[in-house]
Structures are given as C-alpha cells and as structure tokens.
C-alpha cells in the first residue's frame, strides 16, 4: 500500500489522466446518469482519487464523501471542489481495506480504483464485501476493473516499439503487475473473472460494460474531433459497451449492481 500511495502522491497526476482519457470519463458518467436516480443521495466514493466523479455527483446535489489512499489526491480534490464552489461531505485519507463506517449508510458506493491495485483475490473480495456492507438495501454499487487486454490496447494506441512480445501477452495468463513496468502494483482482470467476483455478493447485476471498446485504440484521434462528431462516436461506444464480443477491446470494465433488499 505504501508503494501505491507513493505512486499517486509523487509520480502520477490522476486528475489529468481523465483529461486524456475523455472516452472513459464520459462513458462512465453516462452510466452514472442512467443508474444514479433520485435526489440528495448519500454517496461514498472509495478510492476515488482526486474526486473527478465525486465532484461531478456533488454538483448534481448529492452528498458525497471521498476516501483515497493518497494524501495528494485528497488535497487536489479539496482544491478542485473549491474552484467549483462546492464542498464534499468528507475528504478522507484512508485505505479501502480498513473502512470503519456504519452498515447500510449509503445509497450509492463507488469502488472505482481499489480493485485495480489488489493483487490478492482475498483482498479484492474483502473490499467488495465491505463496500456492499455499507450500501443501503437496494443501493447501487459501481465497481471498475482494468482489463487484462489493457496493455495490448495501450501499445496499439501509439504503436509503441515492442521489445518483448511476452511482456505484453503475459497479463492474459497472469494479471499481476509488480510495479516494475511503468505502472504501480496492479491487477488486470478478465471480464468473466470480474463478473464472477461481483456475483459472489448476491448483487443483481444491472449492467456490465466494456468502457472504451472499439474506440480505445483510436482514442487520440477521437479526442481531437469536433464536438458533434465526438458525440456521435461516443454514442456508438455506449451502445456497444455491453456487447460481450467486444469486451477484450476495452481497457476498463464497469460493473453496476444493486444490493438485494
């Protein structure tokens, strides 16, 4: 955890990441708009980085608490929300594996970061179990995963020189990244494995999406389009996002589930 915290504190700008990856941000927000209904909801964003989604939802009038492992991300979240004239309910420096909150306290729980970084299956299960515990009956959970095809898609976007083919394909057999290949400690998952993980907790799956799907390898070109054309491609992406034939073309998966009442 210290290595991951150091990565986000000292080496990586998570706020700017979603400036570069507009497709991921816009498709995820589209799903939030579809499944987060009602007003003045209590929302907990676990591992929400500098609060991109927290701030978006707070601007809609919801009561949002942000928890993140990185002190730097929490600092940025405070600055960015102040710039927009809003304040989150809480800015919590904490560990997703060590939550101490009341059971059934939240209408919505976002788990859109921690599952990227937990190599041990037991830890991934523990985090999901705790997130579900914090949900009210019929509450909604959003959980994000990095696809084990993401390294391939990342190389394809820039047609980066390939030194060793096995370094790219290895994640299809073993999703573990030990932090020695340009990214911090991470776990890349098959979409069926991700679905199976979430199904362990009695959730009613509302949607499972391959976020970027066919747009992933053309991300830079798509981002440069004029707004009207960008929106057309984004709509195509959204309509294809639940097509299981295309799951491997995405860098991120998004599970949306409802807790049984």
């Amino acid at each position: 955890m210290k290595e991951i915290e150091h990565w986000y504190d000292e080496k990586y700008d998570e706020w700017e990441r979603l400036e570069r990856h507009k497709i991921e941000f816009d498709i995820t927000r589209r799903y939030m708009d579809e499944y987060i209904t009602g007003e003045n909801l209590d929302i907990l964003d676990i591992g929400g980085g500098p609060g991109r989604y927290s701030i978006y939802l707070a601007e809609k009038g919801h009561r949002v608490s942000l928890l993140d492992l990185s002190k730097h991300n929490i600092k940025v979240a405070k600055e960015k929300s102040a710039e927009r004239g809003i304040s989150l309910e809480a800015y919590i420096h904490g560990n997703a594996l060590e939550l101490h909150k009341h059971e059934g306290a939240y209408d919505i729980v976002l788990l859109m970061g921690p599952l990227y970084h937990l190599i041990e299956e037991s830890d991934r299960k523990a985090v999901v179990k705790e997130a579900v515990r914090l949900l009210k009956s019929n509450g909604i959970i959003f959980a994000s995963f990095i696809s084990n095809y993401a390294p391939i898609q990342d190389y394809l976007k820039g047609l980066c020189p390939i030194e060793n083919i096995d370094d790219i394909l290895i994640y299809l057999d073993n999703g573990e990244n030990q932090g020695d290949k340009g990214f911090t400690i991470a776990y890349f998952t098959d979409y069926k494995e991700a679905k199976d993980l979430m199904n362990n907790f009695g959730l009613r799956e509302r949607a499972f999406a391959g976020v970027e799907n066919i747009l992933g390898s053309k991300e830079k070109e798509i981002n440069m389009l004029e707004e009207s054309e960008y929106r057309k491609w984004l709509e195509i992406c959204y309509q294809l996002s639940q097509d299981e034939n295309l799951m491997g073309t995405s860098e991120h998966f998004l599970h949306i589930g409802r807790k049984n009442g």
Side-chain angles (χ1 to χ4, degrees):
M1 286 299 169
K2 288 184 178 179
E3 183 174 333
I4 297 167
E5 183 175 4
H6 178 71
W7 172 263
Y8 287 104
D9 278 346
E10 303 292 342
K11 297 182 178 180
Y12 198 71
D13 188 338
E14 178 66 16
W15 182 271
E16 289 301 320
R17 186 185 76 80
L18 288 176
E19 289 287 341
R20 299 192 307 274
H21 301 302
K22 289 171 53 182
I23 296 166
E24 176 192 347
F25 189 46
D26 286 340
I27 292 294
T28 301
R29 288 191 300 175
R30 172 82 175 264
Y31 273 104
M32 287 181 173
D33 291 345
E34 182 173 355
Y35 287 98
I36 299 178
T37 58
E39 299 180 354
N40 302 313
L41 300 179
D42 291 306
I43 300 175
L44 178 62
D45 188 357
I46 303 172
R52 278 278 192 168
Y53 296 113
S54 288
I55 291 169
Y56 176 69
L57 294 169
E59 287 178 322
K60 289 177 169 287
H62 301 302
R63 296 180 293 271
V64 187
S65 297
L66 170 67
L67 180 145
D68 198 75
L69 186 64
S70 164
K71 289 181 181 178
H72 174 71
N73 280 343
I74 293 296
K75 177 176 179 288
V76 172
K78 290 179 180 179
E79 293 171 352
K80 295 295 185 181
S81 54
E83 287 175 8
R84 288 160 172 75
I86 63 165
S87 180
L88 304 183
E89 292 294 301
Y91 303 85
I92 307 163
H93 175 238
N95 187 335
L97 286 168
E98 299 173 357
L99 299 176
H100 304 288
K101 293 195 171 286
H102 297 299
E103 183 171 346
Y106 296 96
D107 301 290
I108 308 291
V109 171
L110 309 182
L111 192 62
M112 301 173 64
L115 295 172
Y116 296 177
H117 297 299
L118 297 172
I119 287 178
E120 297 298 328
E121 182 182 18
S122 59
D123 286 340
R124 296 193 296 275
K125 286 183 175 179
V127 165
V128 177
K129 181 179 180 181
E130 185 69 355
V132 173
R133 182 184 73 81
L134 297 175
L135 273 177
K136 297 177 182 178
S137 294
N138 293 312
I140 297 287
I141 185 170
F142 287 71
S144 293
F145 302 82
I146 298 181
S147 165
N148 57 351
Y149 284 86
I152 300 171
Q153 296 298 336
D154 197 45
Y155 268 77
L156 185 59
K157 280 190 287 189
L159 288 178
C160 303
I162 298 173
E163 295 182 8
N164 187 335
I165 291 174
D166 290 340
D167 286 345
I168 300 174
L169 297 178
I170 191 172
Y171 299 109
L172 301 182
D173 297 320
N174 181 352
E176 298 181 9
N177 179 57
Q178 297 296 337
D180 56 354
K181 296 178 180 177
F183 190 42
T184 188
I185 293 170
Y187 186 75
F188 306 142
T189 184
D190 173 81
Y191 87 93
K192 293 180 181 178
E193 180 185 13
K195 287 169 73 79
D196 287 345
L197 171 65
M198 302 308 294
N199 288 337
N200 281 326
F201 299 94
L203 297 163
R204 285 175 282 160
E205 185 180 297
R206 302 301 307 279
F208 190 94
V211 176
E212 301 91 352
N213 59 82
I214 63 165
L215 303 192
S217 64
K218 288 286 188 179
E219 180 182 49
K220 292 179 182 178
E221 294 88 341
I222 296 287
N223 286 349
M224 294 174 66
L225 292 173
E226 62 178 22
E227 184 67 12
S228 62
E229 288 300 307
Y230 172 77
R231 290 293 162 185
K232 291 173 188 176
W233 279 110
L234 202 69
E235 180 64 27
I236 291 170
C237 182
Y238 180 77
Q239 293 196 26
L240 294 176
S241 62
Q242 295 185 53
D243 186 339
E244 291 192 351
N245 295 308
L246 298 175
M247 286 297 169
T249 62
S250 286
E251 293 187 77
H252 296 85
F253 303 133
L254 178 65
H255 166 93
I256 304 167
R258 183 181 294 276
K259 182 177 180 178
N260 289 323

